[in-house]
């Protein structure tokens, strides 16, 4: 008898992209001020506080894989996507470091967040350094101003999405619509996924229409990914997600399933439950009963289908794109 | 009898640059998320919390003037320098917003710092947005990847200099040399001044050697400016500087005059005085007696002379550059 493969075995493209990109990413980080470089290494899960090598897994590296696949979609060798991959991974790390400060999130990937480990001021600086390094990397790449324009558009969306997200937290339960939330998610999560694949394609020499289609596809993928993440944040298995059960409800996060359920007749009851401590399990059950979970998954499927249709319109898109999409959206949910 | 002109009347180039650049800067800021845009407007001194117009003076606008003069040095109309001016003013605002968080500085230009007025998280976001907007502005300008490379090199220096500055604060009084301090000041202050004029020249179409010379000149100007600022931070007239008398000493800042004096035989006595509260006036007198003030001014003159020599090597450099330099270094000190 052989043990069954784990349900979430990472697709090979994540592994080969990490191996391809890591040296360039490490070389970029090595150009930073040593202290700032250590914080960057900690953020990537490469080292612990003090600089000793880390045992942690780090992130999945979805964005670097998308950049590599973008270059391959353009018919270029994977290596042409590396500067794009480095830039988007740096931007992703920057946004996590700063978002954790803004959101007051104390842990990230089962370790103290950078601001908890090094202090708020140093974490602000580390994020700034990662951001600057991303721009520097792309400015030095052969992609020209078009590549920097793609990145800066994604950065603008990222910041806009984060602003909306912060303001949503201050509104009442019924003060945010599911539609507003979707727009926020496209900016905050979708823009950088779209940018990753579009940037890879642009550096690979793809025509502008292909770059645009891949950007759109990545954005839909990002929204779908966020919605699945929202479902996992309420009903996910803590052993798999690494987050406490009903965590998003106890943190009073206005995620898609909650907002969808608040659009149903159960809204007044649900809003009361959400405001009472210790009743997260009941709230989760009511959200499911009111159709919030089903609505989130249906919306995720819609965005996945749109991403797939856009990929299908690009005949050179490699099959691994579809594999990665399947992995991210976890069809078995 | 006419009243004497105030000693610090701003040179005309500051006024005409502000008038030229302001519409483009305001248009850029208007593209931000409205909430983030308000914070940006507050940082620029354009509005108060809530968005009502501000009475405050805002910054001097030195960087935008240098960008405009850079374009004119290239023989281009002033307007060609505007995207450079917008980008460097945005980067400067970003760095002040984030530095105030890192340094724990609660006031800026006689008003609460952005993080005091809006909270730390929102201030992190506002800085990020200003940073992203700067990159976006330059990526959209006709200068091509060379312009973005100039800006990203300055950003890397800026972050490196800020990291050094933060670490200096944690060292002992004799643990930082005057030379290390000068390198930090070139990165933290000089790089963006150099970038401002170089970027303006690049967008104006100046040859690379001119761009490089102007960049170097701006860096020397920045170091000189910082040294003069250090002298004012200890011995400046609070009515003029807007800062408390001996403020930098009471904040235990390791500035050039202090570090220079700590290189003299007075070091042990001075280190003891600096560590005792309420003895800032005695410390200031001892620093002056030990030659710290004279050393800072001499070093400022050296850097000013180097900037002037570099400007002199560029025959098309307008006379207003020299006027601006005189204004910034305040020869009457």
């Amino acid at each position: 008898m052989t043990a069954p493969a784990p349900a979430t075995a990472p697709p090979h493209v994540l592994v080969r992209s990490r191996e391809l990109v890591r040296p360039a990413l490490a070389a970029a980080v090595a150009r930073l001020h040593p202290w700032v470089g250590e914080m960057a290494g900690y953020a990537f899960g490469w080292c612990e506080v003090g600089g000793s090598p880390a045992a942690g897994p780090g992130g999945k590296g979805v964005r670097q894989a998308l950049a590599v696949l973008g270059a391959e979609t353009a018919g270029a060798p994977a290596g042409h996507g590396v500067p794009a991959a480095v830039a988007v991974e740096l931007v992703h790390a920057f946004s996590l470091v700063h978002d954790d400060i803004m959101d007051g999130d104390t842990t990230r990937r089962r370790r103290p967040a950078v601001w908890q480990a090094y202090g708020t001021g140093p974490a602000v600086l580390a994020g700034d350094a990662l951001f600057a390094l991303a721009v520097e990397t792309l400015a030095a790449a052969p992609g020209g101003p078009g590549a920097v324009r793609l990145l800066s558009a994604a950065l603008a969306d990222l910041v806009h999405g984060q602003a909306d997200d912060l303001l949503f937290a201050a509104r009442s339960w019924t003060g945010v619509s599911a539609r507003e939330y979707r727009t926020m998610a496209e900016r905050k999560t979708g823009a950088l996924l779209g940018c990753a694949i579009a940037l890879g394609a642009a550096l690979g020499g793809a025509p502008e229409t292909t770059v645009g289609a891949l950007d759109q596809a990545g954005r839909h993928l990002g929204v779908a990914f966020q919605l699945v993440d929202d479902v996992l944040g309420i009903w996910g298995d803590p052993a798999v997600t690494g987050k406490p059960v009903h965590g998003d409800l106890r943190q009073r996060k206005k995620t898609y399933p909650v907002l969808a359920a608040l659009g149903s007749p159960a809204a007044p009851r649900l809003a009361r439950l959400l405001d009472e401590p210790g009743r997260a399990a009941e709230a989760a059950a009511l959200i499911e009963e009111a159709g919030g979970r089903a609505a989130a998954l249906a919306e995720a499927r819609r965005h996945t289908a749109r991403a797939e249709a856009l990929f299908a319109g690009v005949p050179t898109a490699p099959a691994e794109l579809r594999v990665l999409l399947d992995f991210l959206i976890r069809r078995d949910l």
Side-chain angles (χ1 to χ4, degrees), chain A:
Chain A
M1 259 180 43
T2 54
T8 52
H12 179 63
V13 65
L14 289 178
V15 180
R16 73 177 175 94
S17 300
R18 179 176 296 125
E19 282 169 9
L20 179 69
V21 175
R22 174 70 180 261
L25 190 55
V29 168
R31 287 206 306 274
L32 294 174
H33 186 290
W35 176 50
V36 177
E38 184 197 308
M39 289 192 277
Y42 179 88
F44 279 118
W46 300 344
C47 69
E48 301 301 343
V49 175
S52 58
K60 288 186 286 292
V62 171
R63 288 153 196 84
Q64 65 193 359
L66 286 172
V68 165
L69 290 171
E72 290 176 339
T73 301
H80 286 216
V82 167
V86 170
V88 293
E89 288 294 328
L90 289 168
V91 167
H92 182 52
F94 139 74
S95 77
L96 295 182
V97 170
H98 279 190
D99 285 3
D100 283 345
I101 300 171
M102 295 180 221
D103 301 338
D105 286 336
T106 55
T107 62
R108 161 79 50 193
R109 293 174 195 143
R110 305 173 198 222
R111 299 194 307 166
V114 175
W115 69 278
Q116 284 282 299
Y118 291 90
T120 300
V124 172
L125 184 70
D128 292 347
L130 289 162
F131 190 162
L133 194 57
V135 176
E136 201 182 341
T137 300
L138 215 52
V148 178
R149 266 200 292 277
L150 276 172
L151 188 75
S152 69
L155 285 165
D157 269 350
L158 205 68
V159 172
H160 197 121
Q162 174 66 5
D164 275 333
D165 203 17
L166 285 177
L167 290 179
F168 286 175
R171 294 199 207 158
S172 72
W173 283 109
T174 50
V176 181
S177 71
R179 187 197 164 114
E180 285 178 296
Y181 179 84
R182 210 171 43 222
T183 303
M184 180 281 289
E186 184 184 329
R187 287 184 172 130
K188 187 168 164 170
T189 307
L192 192 57
L193 293 185
C195 175
I197 183 164
L199 209 45
L203 294 192
E208 221 165 282
T209 49
T210 303
V211 171
L214 293 175
D215 194 348
Q216 280 308 310
R219 284 172 173 265
H220 284 299
L221 174 59
V223 175
F225 179 67
Q226 183 58 54
L227 294 173
V228 169
D229 214 52
D230 287 354
V231 170
L232 290 172
I234 299 177
W235 296 281
D237 177 358
V240 177
T241 64
K243 294 171 185 174
V245 68
H246 306 136
D248 279 1
L249 292 180
R250 283 193 267 141
Q251 284 190 55
R252 301 168 50 82
K253 283 195 187 167
K254 293 191 183 71
T255 60
Y256 196 93
V258 181
L259 299 173
L262 285 165
S264 79
R269 224 174 100 216
L270 178 57
R272 275 196 305 275
L273 270 182
L274 290 166
D275 279 336
E276 284 180 38
R279 303 192 70 177
E282 287 164 82
L286 182 56
I287 292 164
E288 187 153 11
E289 197 187 306
R293 178 180 178 146
L297 292 176
E299 185 69 20
R301 276 191 294 273
R302 268 195 292 281
H303 285 279
T304 305
R306 279 186 220 159
E308 280 173 339
L310 283 157
F311 286 144
V314 179
T316 53
E320 278 183 304
L321 256 181
R322 176 66 182 269
V323 174
L324 184 59
L325 185 144
D326 278 359
F327 170 71
L328 289 173
I329 309 303
R330 296 188 195 87
R331 292 309 179 81
D332 49 311
L333 263 175

